[in-house]
Amino acid sequence: MAFAESADLTMYYRAAGPPNAPRVVFLNSLGTDCRIWDDLILELGGRIRSLRYDERGQGLTQSPDGPYTIMDHADDLAGLLDSLRWGPAVLCGLSIGGMIAMAAAVRRPDLVQGLVLADTADLIGPRDFWDTRISQVRAGGLEPLAATVMERWFGTSYRREQQVAVRGWSALLARAPVNGYLGSCAALRDADLSGLLGGIRVPAVCICGSEDQSTPTGTVMSLARRLPDATYHEIPGAGHLSPTECPAEFAAILLRFLASLES
């Protein structure tokens, strides 16, 4: 296992792939950890150099008491990349990971070559949604939310045909560090990145599952329109965790984007 220091935070990460391949950093979603990218990394094979890490409050990275902010997360990422001397790279962020990637592109543009923004937005959900979620988790933990969250994470066909996998993802959510989950819920509640979009100067591709209930297709299309240099792609039948649910389709979009950066 590999760990690095970012400011006062000890962070877990995994790096893999040929040293001279295009560098891609993967930023995961709320209630998960860097394992959600495993199938996508396998699909990509040796065509990229990948860096996955557990964000603050997730997995094996430390879980300081919250609340957190998106800028806290962006500074953690910058510190990790500085520590590993890993920039510039393409940032591939899912949900809150996409928000972190956008914030990092403005805060530390020297580290960012391009953005792959999956099932994300500059503003995710109304404030009262997150206040309710925080109250629910404080009262009863994460396990009671699993069934509802799985309906948002995955499309209808996946939930019907991959029931064993869905139970596994439910266990991942239920075992997430509660204080870290709450800290990032607060970050999502308080984040509005709309004023930053014009300052993102790198190419981007925005990807959305057609059955995403958390950041629906119209929301992600709107994000693509408002970014200075972005395209939009949709993955039919996928839910909110589109790269986890449909790694082959997602990998094809990612590889085309990487090729466009080299042309």
Side-chain angles (χ1 to χ4, degrees), residues 156-207:
T156 304
S157 294
Y158 187 91
R159 297 197 313 274
R160 182 179 63 247
E161 298 168 7
Q162 303 292 335
Q163 294 183 26
V164 173
V166 170
R167 288 197 292 272
W169 295 118
S170 297
L172 176 67
L173 172 66
R175 295 172 186 174
V178 170
N179 65 325
Y181 187 92
L182 292 172
S184 286
C185 280
L188 285 161
R189 178 194 64 195
D190 298 337
D192 181 352
L193 305 185
S194 56
L196 300 182
L197 299 185
I200 295 175
R201 300 302 181 188
V202 294
V205 57
C206 299
I207 306 169

Side-chain angles (χ1 to χ4, degrees), residues 227-244:
L227 286 166
D229 182 9
T231 58
Y232 172 79
H233 293 272
E234 195 167 301
I235 299 180
H240 189 55
L241 302 194
S242 64
T244 305

Side-chain angles (χ1 to χ4, degrees), residues 53-262:
Y53 73 99
D54 292 340
E55 295 151 17
R56 69 164 53 209
Q58 297 179 346
L60 297 180
T61 291
Q62 286 181 306
S63 297
D65 291 334
Y68 309 155
T69 69
I70 293 298
M71 291 305 175
D72 289 335
H73 281 294
D75 289 343
D76 293 341
L77 171 60
L80 178 64
L81 296 182
D82 284 340
S83 174
L84 300 178
R85 298 178 181 171
W86 232 80
V90 170
L91 306 184
C92 179
L94 171 62
S95 192
I96 190 175
M99 299 187 86
I100 297 166
M102 287 186 279
V106 173
R107 206 164 178 90
R108 286 292 306 275
D110 58 305
L111 296 175
V112 183
Q113 183 185 10
L115 296 172
V116 180
L117 303 172
D119 303 274
T120 191
D122 50 306
L123 176 67
I124 298 180
R127 186 178 183 87
D128 59 356
F129 172 87
W130 294 112
D131 283 336
T132 299
R133 174 64 59 85
I134 289 168
S135 296
Q136 290 172 329
V137 174
R138 282 177 175 162
L142 286 162
E143 190 167 0
L145 297 176
T148 299
V149 171
M150 292 306 109
E151 292 180 358
R152 302 175 76 89
W153 277 9
F154 300 110
T156 304
S157 294
Y158 187 91
R159 297 197 313 274
R160 182 179 63 247
E161 298 168 7
Q162 303 292 335
Q163 294 183 26
V164 173
V166 170
R167 288 197 292 272
W169 295 118
S170 297
L172 176 67
L173 172 66
R175 295 172 186 174
V178 170
N179 65 325
Y181 187 92
L182 292 172
S184 286
C185 280
L188 285 161
R189 178 194 64 195
D190 298 337
D192 181 352
L193 305 185
S194 56
L196 300 182
L197 299 185
I200 295 175
R201 300 302 181 188
V202 294
V205 57
C206 299
I207 306 169
C208 188
S210 66
E211 295 186 21
D212 188 338
Q213 299 178 42
S214 298
T215 52
T217 55
T219 298
V220 182
M221 285 181 191
S222 174
L223 174 65
R225 286 195 299 267
R226 288 178 291 122
L227 286 166
D229 182 9
T231 58
Y232 172 79
H233 293 272
E234 195 167 301
I235 299 180
H240 189 55
L241 302 194
S242 64
T244 305
E245 184 174 353
C246 299
E249 294 87 340
F250 196 95
I253 298 169
L254 173 57
L255 289 171
R256 287 198 298 271
F257 178 69
L258 294 176
S260 74
L261 297 180
E262 297 176 357

Side-chain angles (χ1 to χ4, degrees), residues 8-28:
D8 58 350
L9 196 68
T10 299
M11 303 182 70
Y12 172 72
Y13 72 92
R14 298 181 189 175
N20 295 327
R23 293 190 169 198
V24 184
V25 182
F26 294 92
L27 299 86
N28 48 277

